[in-house]
């Protein structure tokens, strides 16, 4: 999973990898202090496949039914997290 922004030189920070066991929830957080565009987009890329858009939002936290998860966005929009 990774977060991207419309600005090519956006700076984001995430854990390089996270692991969990099946049936156990995981929280993937991302810091994006210099966010410029209106949208926050989360993608996943499975081995051997292209990126797949999972969720997008401008400001609000929201459910992500496609992956039975939830996208959380901080009030200042400088960080977000995807709970699976």
């Amino acid at each position: 999973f990774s977060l991207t922004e419309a600005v090519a030189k956006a700076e984001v920070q995430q854990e390089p990898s996270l692991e969990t066991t099946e049936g156990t929830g995981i929280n993937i957080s991302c810091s994006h202090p210099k966010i410029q565009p209106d949208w926050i987009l989360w993608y996943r890329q499975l081995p051997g496949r292209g990126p797949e858009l999972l969720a997008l939002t401008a400001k609000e936290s929201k459910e992500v039914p496609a992956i039975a998860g939830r996208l959380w966005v901080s009030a200042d929009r400088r960080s977000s997290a995807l709970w699976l």
Side-chain angles (χ1 to χ4, degrees):
F1 293 86
S2 64
L3 177 121
T4 187
E5 300 180 39
V7 175
K9 294 186 179 182
E11 294 179 23
V12 298
Q13 294 180 346
Q14 281 183 289
E15 294 293 329
S17 65
L18 295 170
E19 291 184 17
T20 188
T21 57
E22 188 172 346
T24 303
I26 190 168
N27 194 58
I28 305 167
S29 60
C30 187
S31 171
H32 33 86
K34 295 182 179 182
I35 191 166
Q36 295 293 326
D38 292 336
W39 298 98
I40 296 170
L41 296 89
W42 277 80
Y43 290 85
R44 80 171 160 193
Q45 187 167 8
L46 300 174
R49 303 177 106 178
E52 172 189 3
L53 179 63
L54 290 179
L56 72 151
T57 186
K59 298 176 184 176
E60 68 279 353
S61 299
K62 62 194 288 185
E63 298 296 321
V64 186
I67 55 168
R70 178 163 180 79
L71 175 60
W72 172 85
V73 180
S74 65
D76 63 8
R77 300 182 66 239
R78 292 182 181 199
S79 62
S80 60
L82 189 62
W83 184 89
L84 306 170

